Amino acid sequence: MQRERTLASRVVYDGIGLHSGRPVHMELVPAATGTGIQFARADLPEALPVAATAANVTATLRATTIGAGALKFFTIEHLMSALHVHGIDNCLVLLDAEEPPVVDGSARTFFRLIAEAGTVEQDAERQVTVIDRVYRVDDGSHFVMAVPYDGLRVSFTSLNEHPLIGVQYYNLEVTPEAYEREIAPARTIAYEKEVKALQANGLGLGGSLETVIVYNDEGWMNPLNFPNELVRHKILDVLGDLRLAGMIRGHIIAVASGHALNTALAKQIAEERK
């Protein structure tokens, strides 16, 4: 029997949001059993926390957003990915803005801070989301599916028409050690020609060569952590998005999936289990 886990101590970090570009103070706070992962506004104490669940997903444009009423939190997937792999069942994410810090566009800092804080076992049985049949969501040319597997594995194929990137494939048996080494350092990627359009729509305002990997028709504008960093970051994202359906035990297989398909799969899994 597995037991629920929370943080052994509080985590504090200051940064800026990727899309908002606004400063944000973040605290990850230990939480009681059965709480789950919740996001709350430190500067809006009257507002109720929003549970990080598939049912609360409100948008998936360039990031995963959860919300309830007028309250929303976006670009939660990198933090959720680190919490998922660390096995954190219960945690309050306390922010004074709508978006966690982007840091360098990866999950490496979140993963390290959680490791430094440590985790503690709690007096409640963990409800693992065991994939016991095939779940699949697709839009005709892209798909993501979950199949039974005794563990957690992700196999991802990314498709990009740009000759610099092309087709990339990566397969990972997810453990904290493998994730920290092979996935957590993989950063968000953007095409230079898209940046101005994104910013005109109020997105990517915190993007820079310190927070995003950027490529153009000549090549990469900043050094890569991995030759196939794009597909590794896609695995990072899918682990964050699928955490919205709980602590997953299964094999996730995806081709060119993004936040919309990932969260649709999370909803499908969560609704059936409910």
Side-chain angles (χ1 to χ4, degrees):
M1 181 182 71
Q2 297 182 32
R3 295 197 174 275
E4 292 186 359
R5 302 191 75 85
T6 190
L7 293 163
S9 60
R10 187 178 293 237
V11 169
V12 178
Y13 190 85
D14 293 301
I16 63 167
L18 172 61
H19 291 299
S20 67
R22 291 194 291 270
V24 56
H25 176 75
M26 180 186 77
E27 296 189 20
L28 306 182
V29 184
T33 59
T35 302
I37 298 172
Q38 297 190 335
F39 284 71
R41 289 288 293 268
D43 57 328
L44 300 173
E46 72 285 357
L48 294 174
V50 177
T53 62
N56 286 335
V57 173
T58 59
T60 54
L61 180 61
R62 295 283 179 166
T64 295
T65 301
I66 57 170
L71 195 62
K72 65 178 180 178
F73 297 92
F74 51 94
T75 324
I76 66 168
E77 59 272 11
H78 301 168
L79 176 59
M80 291 294 292
S81 184
L83 290 167
H84 192 177
V85 178
H86 265 300
I88 302 294
D89 298 276
N90 305 302
C91 176
L92 176 64
V93 181
L94 200 56
L95 305 171
D96 63 359
E98 293 179 315
E99 189 178 24
V102 61
V103 198
D104 66 347
S106 76
R108 175 167 45 191
T109 296
F110 296 145
F111 195 82
R112 176 181 56 80
L113 290 171
I114 294 168
E116 291 174 356
T119 65
V120 292
E121 200 171 76
Q122 297 177 284
D123 190 20
E125 183 179 353
R126 171 181 284 165
Q127 301 300 311
V128 179
T129 300
V130 178
I131 304 301
D132 55 6
R133 70 168 182 85
V134 176
Y135 296 85
R136 178 180 171 122
V137 178
D138 66 74
D139 63 5
S141 56
H142 315 101
F143 74 84
V144 60
M145 62 192 294
V147 301
Y149 183 75
D150 187 17
L152 178 56
R153 178 178 289 275
V154 181
S155 303
F156 204 108
T157 303
S158 68
L159 308 174
N160 190 302
E161 294 180 355
H162 196 286
L164 188 66
I165 301 175
V167 176
Q168 295 182 3
Y169 172 79
Y170 205 71
N171 172 65
L172 184 76
E173 175 77 25
V174 182
T175 65
E177 297 77 17
Y179 179 90
E180 181 179 28
R181 183 177 63 250
E182 301 180 43
I183 302 300
R187 298 160 293 172
T188 298
I189 293 177
Y191 184 38
E192 186 184 25
K193 290 182 178 178
E194 296 177 331
V195 172
K196 287 186 179 180
L198 286 172
Q199 293 179 339
N201 288 314
L203 298 172
L205 301 178
S208 69
L209 294 181
E210 284 70 50
T211 59
V212 180
I213 307 170
V214 182
Y215 66 97
N216 56 29
D217 292 337
E218 283 71 52
W220 296 100
M221 299 179 65
N222 37 6
L224 295 177
N225 287 336
F226 308 100
N228 58 350
E229 194 158 354
L230 172 59
V231 71
R232 292 177 189 242
H233 187 81
K234 290 291 189 179
I235 290 176
L236 187 158
D237 281 347
V238 81
L239 286 167
D241 289 339
L242 266 292
R243 177 60 181 85
L244 297 168
M247 302 288 289
I248 301 294
R249 182 188 299 161
H251 186 179
I252 311 304
I253 303 166
V255 173
S257 179
H259 297 302
L261 290 182
N262 295 345
T263 57
L265 180 67
K267 286 183 180 182
Q268 186 183 111
I269 293 168
E271 286 171 3
E272 180 171 297
R273 287 178 59 82
K274 182 175 68 174

